[in-house]
Amino acid sequence: MNVLWILAHPDPRSLNGFLAKEGWRALAADGHEVEVSDLYAMRWNPVVDTEGYAHDPAERFRVAAAAKHAYESGALSRDVRAEQEKIDRADTVVVQFPLWWFGMPAILKGWFDKVWLQGYAYGLRGPGGEWIGYGDGFLAGKRALAVVTAGGPAWSYGGRGIHGAADELLFPLLHGTLFYAGARVLPPLLLPGADRFTPEEGEGAAEELRGRLRAIPTTDPVPYRTQNGGDYDERLVLRPDVAPGATGLGVHLA
């Protein structure tokens, strides 16, 4: 595999830093190529502004249109182009971060905001002129795995736990970002109780991560319903005969 590993944690001495290094070492030992975007170490600027798109500040800044124009005209800032080139080279993307207030750290959210721009990551059409997304897109054929640490105890992230189940907590990333872009999204690895890990528990988490990495080529992806697979009508609403009467995030699982 050619793996792009995106890491978003400010301290390399953290559990996240330890797990990332163990993951990189395991992939390399198995003969895979690993390219890393360590966003804090890179001092990645997460702020979307006119400078990144060579946009005239005298003109109204319509972000999506400005980003698309900069991408198509070759005016994107160098940092954004470099990240897109890493994505293009990869066949597997690993996104690793601590869960902060039920979402990604701001630096990682800003990475997606700046790199996954219109014309590159969305706003694309298929061969028949149809809009594509949710199962088809610029990541089609690539695999994606989220590796996430969380502070709460394991039982609080179960189906009836107060924090919610991992697949629902991460739905915006897994479904709305990675699957929308066409990736084969693998079940996430959520490591709860991270703030209280002993060294022994840290090694156990590293071994669990190694196992998940070894299984990437053979792991079944999350069975999300595809946009153009027939389950949705022309408004992208589930047809009445698909999961009749059901609502919520779970209805988008086939």
Side-chain angles (χ1 to χ4, degrees):
M1 298 184 293
N2 294 313
V3 181
L4 171 59
W5 193 299
I6 305 151
L7 173 64
H9 194 286
D11 193 340
R13 300 165 298 182
S14 64
L15 175 63
N16 271 275
F18 166 71
L19 292 175
K21 293 184 182 70
E22 290 300 307
W24 304 337
R25 186 178 295 115
L27 288 168
D30 286 341
H32 304 298
E33 297 291 332
V34 184
E35 193 164 15
V36 176
S37 285
D38 183 343
L39 301 185
Y40 280 95
M42 294 161 54
R43 297 187 179 274
W44 173 262
N45 175 16
V47 178
V48 174
D49 55 24
T50 58
E51 292 183 5
Y53 305 136
H55 180 74
D56 183 355
E59 300 290 333
R60 178 181 169 185
F61 186 32
R62 294 178 171 86
V63 176
K68 181 180 181 182
H69 176 72
Y71 172 69
E72 293 177 345
S73 65
L76 277 179
S77 59
R78 184 177 302 175
D79 59 341
V80 172
R81 291 200 311 272
E83 296 306 296
Q84 291 177 345
E85 290 167 0
K86 293 177 186 178
I87 295 171
D88 294 341
R89 288 191 290 268
D91 55 50
T92 301
V93 178
V94 177
V95 184
Q96 183 191 355
F97 60 95
L99 192 70
W100 288 353
W101 287 113
F102 298 96
M104 295 178 280
I107 197 169
L108 179 57
K109 179 58 167 62
W111 183 89
F112 281 108
D113 290 344
K114 292 180 69 173
V115 176
W116 291 42
L117 49 79
Q118 186 177 32
Y120 175 70
Y122 73 97
L124 308 175
R125 292 185 182 270
E130 72 281 7
W131 291 108
I132 60 175
Y134 292 109
D136 192 8
F138 84 114
L139 291 187
K142 300 178 189 285
R143 296 169 292 266
L145 171 67
V147 178
V148 184
T149 59
W155 53 85
S156 63
Y157 295 98
R160 292 174 58 82
I162 194 168
H163 294 319
D167 56 346
E168 293 191 346
L169 283 174
L170 299 172
F171 190 83
L173 171 63
L174 303 180
H175 182 268
T177 305
L178 298 171
F179 184 67
Y180 180 87
R184 293 168 56 85
V185 181
L186 307 184
L189 174 57
L190 181 71
L191 299 166
D195 291 341
R196 291 172 292 279
F197 267 36
T198 64
E200 292 74 21
E201 289 169 327
E203 179 52 42
E207 186 56 34
E208 184 176 3
L209 174 60
R210 295 183 198 107
R212 291 295 304 274
L213 295 175
R214 285 192 295 268
I216 282 176
T218 58
T219 299
D220 290 333
V222 179
Y224 292 126
R225 302 181 190 276
T226 60
Q227 173 178 304
N228 297 319
D231 288 344
Y232 298 91
D233 63 20
E234 66 279 359
R235 301 172 302 155
L236 300 183
V237 175
L238 282 174
R239 297 194 333 262
D241 59 308
V242 177
T247 61
L249 303 181
V251 301
H252 301 293
L253 290 168

